[in-house]
Amino acid sequence: MYNMKKGPKITLVTPIAVNGHRVTAIIIGRHYREKHAHYMNDEIILNLVMALDGGEFSPDSTNLGIEYYAADISLKINGLAKVCRLVWLFEGDLLEIIGVINAYRVKRKK
């Protein structure tokens, strides 16, 4: 079963729509801190999640009935355009929460 060290639930000021779900909160897993903390933080991850608004995504993989998604998102970080990969899933009874598994920079957009 899915298990990650999770941070607190962050309620979004303005809900977003992803895959037709009304997303009202995110939970950021702490995995990114192991290898990417020198350039990645919760604020950047929140901006990456907000960039999913209005998008339709196909799952990249399914494990034990849980669908995992990955999206490459262009974002300005410290004034420079960077591409970051956001690995996430839906959580909650109404799939109203995005659970972020990992986030990191990539050289090329997939």
Side-chain angles (χ1 to χ4, degrees), residues 63-110:
N63 187 13
L64 299 174
I66 299 171
E67 294 179 335
Y68 295 88
Y69 300 83
D72 288 354
I73 300 165
S74 296
L75 191 67
K76 284 206 175 203
I77 301 173
N78 298 325
L80 299 172
K82 301 288 182 182
V83 177
C84 297
R85 182 160 298 150
L86 185 69
V87 182
W88 53 280
L89 51 77
F90 288 107
E91 296 187 33
D93 293 336
L94 302 173
L95 303 178
E96 76 280 11
I97 301 169
I98 286 184
V100 176
I101 309 292
N102 202 358
Y104 53 92
R105 283 195 314 237
V106 293
K107 293 189 187 329
R108 291 198 176 134
K109 202 171 182 177
K110 87 176 193 179

